Amino acid sequence: MRIGLLTGGGDCPGLNAAIRAVVKQALGEYGHQVIGFRNGWKGVVDGDVIQLDRSNIRNILPQGGTMLGTARFHPHSAGAMEQVMATFEAERIDAVICIGGDGTLNAASKVADEGINVIAIPKTIDNDVWGTDLSIGYHTAVNIATEAIDRIHTTAESHNRVMVVEVMGRHAGWISVAAGIAGGAEIVLAPEEPFDIDRIVKFLRHRHRAHANFSIVVVAEGASPAKGSAMDYEVQLGQFGEIIAGAVGERVAHEISERTGFDTRLTVLGHVQRGGTPTPTDRILGSRFGVAAVDAVTAGKTNVMTALQNEEIVLVPLADIAGKVKPVPDDLLRVARVLA
Amino acid sequence: MRIGLLTGGGDCPGLNAAIRAVVKQALGEYGHQVIGFRNGWKGVVDGDVIQLDRSNIRNILPQGGTMLGTARFHPHSAGAMEQVMATFEAERIDAVICIGGDGTLNAASKVADEGINVIAIPKTIDNDVWGTDLSIGYHTAVNIATEAIDRIHTTAESHNRVMVVEVMGRHAGWISVAAGIAGGAEIVLAPEEPFDIDRIVKFLRHRHRAHANFSIVVVAEGASPAKGSAMDYEVQLGQFGEIIAGAVGERVAHEISERTGFDTRLTVLGHVQRGGTPTPTDRILGSRFGVAAVDAVTAGKTNVMTALQNEEIVLVPLADIAGKVKPVPDDLLRVARVLA
Amino acid sequence: MRIGLLTGGGDCPGLNAAIRAVVKQALGEYGHQVIGFRNGWKGVVDGDVIQLDRSNIRNILPQGGTMLGTARFHPHSAGAMEQVMATFEAERIDAVICIGGDGTLNAASKVADEGINVIAIPKTIDNDVWGTDLSIGYHTAVNIATEAIDRIHTTAESHNRVMVVEVMGRHAGWISVAAGIAGGAEIVLAPEEPFDIDRIVKFLRHRHRAHANFSIVVVAEGASPAKGSAMDYEVQLGQFGEIIAGAVGERVAHEISERTGFDTRLTVLGHVQRGGTPTPTDRILGSRFGVAAVDAVTAGKTNVMTALQNEEIVLVPLADIAGKVKPVPDDLLRVARVLA
Amino acid sequence: MRIGLLTGGGDCPGLNAAIRAVVKQALGEYGHQVIGFRNGWKGVVDGDVIQLDRSNIRNILPQGGTMLGTARFHPHSAGAMEQVMATFEAERIDAVICIGGDGTLNAASKVADEGINVIAIPKTIDNDVWGTDLSIGYHTAVNIATEAIDRIHTTAESHNRVMVVEVMGRHAGWISVAAGIAGGAEIVLAPEEPFDIDRIVKFLRHRHRAHANFSIVVVAEGASPAKGSAMDYEVQLGQFGEIIAGAVGERVAHEISERTGFDTRLTVLGHVQRGGTPTPTDRILGSRFGVAAVDAVTAGKTNVMTALQNEEIVLVPLADIAGKVKPVPDDLLRVARVLA
């Protein structure tokens, strides 16, 4: 078999582990060939390919990013889809493994509709892909965010400050909740629970009077105030529809500073959350997904996504996950709250 | 309510997160009191107690070890059990939360038999407690072992060596398999699959001839050769029945060196695997277990262990887990094998 | 003797190592007493003191921040200075050890003018204190910044982007140059060498045409364009005269994006640079400074600063360092340039 | 010019930074050619060469080990030296840059005697090369050792144990002293100061009675008891004259355990000390040495070693350093002692 392989959307740690596993399993276990497309769907459209063998995947396991490159590009237009099909035909692709988030999985669905055999592998540091307990990249992002909160903690305490830390998480607050619990944050603001700035201010005032004179507030970039609450703010989008980094954190920090008079500072973690060497969890997840994707392709199971459910790797139909977001469950939100 | 709290057995990262969560949830949510026993069951026998409040748990979240101290001590003798009961009575303990592994859970069961309300929280870097997907400490140990393998990798490659790395894992090979996959080890030896030194040697010879001139071999301390295979070795125990660190790694390294002539070196990770700041996963796990244990105590659910199953915290009867070991599942062992 | 001790200015990793060393050496070696002032000079003015002994310094060595607290407060006013003297008299202080940067050393000088015996210990993540090869905090900041650049590197490469990273460094570009070299940055902008945006753009265009399609640009917050060069920008100051974080990075990223059309992103490291566990170098430096400060006090050598020169700890008269900034030497700037 | 380049002796982090700098500076600044020899002097003898250009050094800066490979091989024999000269002639080498420790510098001296232009770059995690404040690899080793001691600290404290940690350092105790101070060790045993086990035992007994019930003892592999002191032990050498890892640590742990009755455990760090990503300090040092070596070659300055002295890169005649060891200075040994 000739298997196409691409990584799409934002890069994150663990992609190379998946690429390596796909190549090792395809070549070593089954004798397939693997054709990589550079820079996601853009490489498919452009016919920018590279035949992958052992030499290409040497030493990539501990490295962040993707050796195939990636791009935020979607073959939505009619012309683009034709070029996709033309490339697949020219390269005699029997099936394509797409590693990506929302947008990539979407495009994968459309390509599947055209009759191409598709296997998707979920990655997103937001961890909001439906149908899988974990997506590649999330675990490393939580590590990085927690490490940053640990660092900021000592400054907060030494200076008696309120430190606001904005982390990623557009539709779901996984990073904010996990890093908030792990970092011992006093307040976590996630998209799942619109916040009330009055209650936050009241809580901080009480805490600084009674217990301590510093606080950590973790804010997901997609957090927003409850309707009818005191703070007037809507999620800010950039020209490509992406969330403007720092916007909500800046507003929250400003309100806290104004209303409490506490010395309040903002840190926007930004791109560092998606870089660097993957944690063992992301390496293992990528490795398992890669092996499972090749097993699935070989067994003729397509138009599915590899997923982790209850510690096992399973296959989920692409049709089942479209348009859904996996929110942080209530019990985890509660833990973040009660440990404040 | 007056809740007793102790940590028993070997220390590991994440214990302080659980202690902190127990104290915060007990005092903040329910107004209970928490009485800590120092150095595990020894502190119960000796009546060595400390009343815990917010000031005791300040800044302990990111710290390894246990602020309560621990000891490998079990109140097996009749006299010891009497003293346990006497201390609980003197301290008017309504229920006791025991954080520990095998031995501690065992003792907890016995104490429960005496009519004491017990809630157990599982910790063991070996991750082999039955009934829970994760135990406190395991995740950090995998991180440390993977980091060590990453380091050793560059030396192996620069010097064309076979590097043997012995990690913990007496009855189950969780650390060896996870760190082996994450670190890109060529060979992983776990207790679940007795090994054949002839096949290992054959594999290494082939690899060094065909692909590369270095290899990483990860060995769990409890790994042993298959019966009837070429290597004659039995797991070495110390005076307290514990596994002698380095024993199997030394034997494996010796055999590889002798039979292949390759420059072969051994690293025994030892105690570093159980120390240092916990990963976010262990901090969150400890926090969730601590909150759940207090919730359970308050709701009158006792003689159970908090457990993680399918990403949720559940309660498992202590009776169900006694004497069982949770092995690494076959599909994970296979991933370690196919990615070699 | 009764020795006063305070930490002033921005917090950073390594302060606790110095505090611990002062206490250990003063109590253990000489039998002095150590009186800590909380929150820098503010604690002196307010008479907010704590007698320090072994129990206070337990476990603080690996922790960031300062267990004494700190504040950006200077006893400049006449009234403040009177209160300083009153507190010193009330506490029968024989000499005071001040750990701090620019502002604190300045205040120390003034206090010395009033007849108080003063020993200063230099700390600043900017590393620009004259007379010492290293100041506490700098080394850890370089580590954090390099780690961030490593992370950002994989994203830059995967996405074919220009990544601009703004780091601290107001008057001197030590962090930017060190982290730039260590992180393999293509361009480093430091206050020592006003930059020409035209040359930067030209360099990037050439590089992306000839060698690679990504680049890392590290910008010190105090960097500014050369007079007469194409970019019109002046360093932005906040209400307390501090540099506005992100201002120059944003401008540089904007210009590069506009002029080259390359996908360009900004990361502002901010507060994470001054937090977290200190590197061994900062722990050792803090420890050596602390021991040397107590030795100096005991020997009657005052109105000096402990300094590292040619790997040895020496004492430098406070008068010699006032108003001076230690710039990055030319040969280091050249290394950053030639390795681009 | 055609410049030869090799790395010899044990690998360590920072070698790749030096290789990268040599290639960048040689090609980019001067238009020289760089011929790499694989596996140290062995590659010279065997004529195993690779012409190095930009593509070879991509992404190697943050990686441990050496992309050229290395070996503990010295061209001492007459025949070997002839082959060295033959290879240099065949490859038309104008000068050779040798990155290595003791053995490599020695060989470099001999090659220089044969009329070859040689520039040496010092590397050794032991940091005992005379004439330079730092050698490549030392700084990362201290980081790793300190991190390990931090981890072991929490276990020591939780279990009331004496933890003995053996680190590298044959002739000089740089790692033990630096990591001992940074890790807050109670006792540091270095080759510079032969130890008296009676005094150690007395100190530990006193400490455990008066202050704390745990201790950390850091032992350099080359430490040995004072003549006439109670412990009878000589440094153990292997078949190649190398120190047997763990030998002295085991003996010290045994004696402490026997004489005090304290629960005492040994950790031997071993190979992990020389692996993994280099610290910024080692990357910068390697980069500066690499640039300086090419500058020196180009300027016709040969038979010298690049060195760091008083923060500057200088050149030291090879003849001046032969046979000398740089010990830890007394004032640093004292800091380790007084902070115990």
Side-chain angles (χ1 to χ4, degrees), chain B residues 209-227:
Chain B
R209 208 164 38 224
H211 300 304
N213 34 27
F214 72 94
S215 294
I216 308 277
V217 180
V218 177
V219 187
E221 61 181 359
S224 62
K227 287 214 167 123

Short mmCIF file of all heavy atoms in Angstrom, two decimals, chain B residues 209-227:
data_model
loop_
_atom_site.label_atom_id
_atom_site.label_comp_id
_atom_site.label_asym_id
_atom_site.label_seq_id
_atom_site.Cartn_x
_atom_site.Cartn_y
_atom_site.Cartn_z
N ARG B 209 24.30 -4.29 12.65
CA ARG B 209 24.82 -4.57 11.32
C ARG B 209 24.07 -3.75 10.28
O ARG B 209 24.66 -3.16 9.39
CB ARG B 209 24.66 -6.07 11.03
CG ARG B 209 25.68 -6.64 10.06
CD ARG B 209 25.70 -8.16 10.14
NE ARG B 209 24.35 -8.69 10.31
CZ ARG B 209 24.02 -9.67 11.16
NH1 ARG B 209 24.96 -10.23 11.91
NH2 ARG B 209 22.79 -10.08 11.24
N ALA B 210 22.75 -3.67 10.45
CA ALA B 210 21.93 -3.14 9.37
C ALA B 210 21.60 -1.65 9.50
O ALA B 210 21.55 -0.93 8.50
CB ALA B 210 20.62 -3.93 9.30
N HIS B 211 21.35 -1.16 10.72
CA HIS B 211 20.74 0.15 10.85
C HIS B 211 21.54 1.19 11.61
O HIS B 211 21.58 2.36 11.24
CB HIS B 211 19.38 0.04 11.57
CG HIS B 211 18.41 -0.83 10.87
ND1 HIS B 211 18.03 -0.61 9.57
CD2 HIS B 211 17.73 -1.93 11.28
CE1 HIS B 211 17.15 -1.54 9.21
NE2 HIS B 211 16.96 -2.35 10.23
N ALA B 212 22.12 0.81 12.70
CA ALA B 212 22.68 1.80 13.61
C ALA B 212 23.72 1.11 14.46
O ALA B 212 23.71 -0.11 14.59
CB ALA B 212 21.59 2.35 14.52
N ASN B 213 24.62 1.86 15.06
CA ASN B 213 25.58 1.17 15.90
C ASN B 213 25.46 1.55 17.36
O ASN B 213 26.44 1.65 18.09
CB ASN B 213 27.01 1.38 15.39
CG ASN B 213 27.15 2.74 14.78
OD1 ASN B 213 26.42 3.65 15.15
ND2 ASN B 213 28.08 2.88 13.86
N PHE B 214 24.22 1.79 17.80
CA PHE B 214 23.99 1.99 19.23
C PHE B 214 22.60 1.46 19.54
O PHE B 214 21.76 1.34 18.63
CB PHE B 214 24.08 3.47 19.59
CG PHE B 214 22.90 4.24 19.09
CD1 PHE B 214 21.79 4.46 19.89
CD2 PHE B 214 22.87 4.73 17.78
CE1 PHE B 214 20.68 5.15 19.42
CE2 PHE B 214 21.77 5.42 17.30
CZ PHE B 214 20.68 5.63 18.12
N SER B 215 22.35 1.18 20.80
CA SER B 215 21.03 0.71 21.22
C SER B 215 20.77 1.07 22.67
O SER B 215 21.70 1.19 23.46
CB SER B 215 20.91 -0.81 21.04
OG SER B 215 20.98 -1.17 19.70
N ILE B 216 19.49 1.25 22.98
CA ILE B 216 19.05 1.49 24.35
C ILE B 216 18.21 0.29 24.79
O ILE B 216 17.26 -0.09 24.10
CB ILE B 216 18.16 2.74 24.46
CG1 ILE B 216 18.83 3.97 23.84
CG2 ILE B 216 17.73 2.97 25.90
CD1 ILE B 216 19.80 4.68 24.73
N VAL B 217 18.56 -0.29 25.92
CA VAL B 217 17.80 -1.41 26.48
C VAL B 217 17.27 -0.98 27.85
O VAL B 217 18.05 -0.66 28.74
CB VAL B 217 18.69 -2.66 26.64
CG1 VAL B 217 17.88 -3.82 27.23
CG2 VAL B 217 19.31 -3.04 25.31
N VAL B 218 15.94 -0.93 28.00
CA VAL B 218 15.35 -0.55 29.28
C VAL B 218 14.89 -1.82 30.00
O VAL B 218 14.17 -2.64 29.43
CB VAL B 218 14.17 0.41 29.08
CG1 VAL B 218 13.51 0.74 30.42
CG2 VAL B 218 14.64 1.70 28.40
N VAL B 219 15.33 -1.96 31.24
CA VAL B 219 15.03 -3.17 32.01
C VAL B 219 14.30 -2.79 33.30
O VAL B 219 14.82 -1.99 34.09
CB VAL B 219 16.32 -3.92 32.39
CG1 VAL B 219 15.99 -5.25 33.04
CG2 VAL B 219 17.22 -4.10 31.19
N ALA B 220 13.13 -3.37 33.52
CA ALA B 220 12.46 -3.20 34.82
C ALA B 220 13.18 -4.05 35.84
O ALA B 220 13.63 -5.16 35.53
CB ALA B 220 11.00 -3.61 34.71
N GLU B 221 13.27 -3.57 37.07
CA GLU B 221 14.02 -4.29 38.10
C GLU B 221 13.44 -5.68 38.37
O GLU B 221 14.14 -6.58 38.83
CB GLU B 221 14.06 -3.50 39.41
CG GLU B 221 12.67 -3.24 39.98
CD GLU B 221 12.67 -2.43 41.27
OE1 GLU B 221 13.74 -2.07 41.76
OE2 GLU B 221 11.56 -2.15 41.77
N GLY B 222 12.16 -5.86 38.02
CA GLY B 222 11.52 -7.15 38.26
C GLY B 222 11.46 -8.05 37.04
O GLY B 222 10.84 -9.11 37.06
N ALA B 223 12.15 -7.65 35.97
CA ALA B 223 12.16 -8.48 34.76
C ALA B 223 12.96 -9.76 35.03
O ALA B 223 13.90 -9.75 35.82
CB ALA B 223 12.78 -7.71 33.60
N SER B 224 12.59 -10.84 34.36
CA SER B 224 13.34 -12.09 34.56
C SER B 224 13.32 -12.90 33.27
O SER B 224 12.44 -12.74 32.44
CB SER B 224 12.74 -12.88 35.71
OG SER B 224 11.41 -13.22 35.41
N PRO B 225 14.32 -13.75 33.11
CA PRO B 225 14.40 -14.53 31.88
C PRO B 225 13.30 -15.60 31.82
O PRO B 225 12.84 -16.08 32.85
CB PRO B 225 15.78 -15.19 31.97
CG PRO B 225 16.19 -15.10 33.39
CD PRO B 225 15.44 -13.99 34.02
N ALA B 226 12.89 -15.93 30.60
CA ALA B 226 11.89 -16.98 30.41
C ALA B 226 12.47 -18.30 30.89
O ALA B 226 13.69 -18.54 30.79
CB ALA B 226 11.51 -17.06 28.94
N LYS B 227 11.62 -19.13 31.41
CA LYS B 227 12.08 -20.45 31.87
C LYS B 227 12.62 -21.23 30.68
O LYS B 227 12.04 -21.23 29.60
CB LYS B 227 10.91 -21.21 32.48
CG LYS B 227 10.56 -20.61 33.84
CD LYS B 227 10.06 -21.65 34.84
CE LYS B 227 10.04 -21.01 36.23
NZ LYS B 227 8.71 -21.09 36.85
#
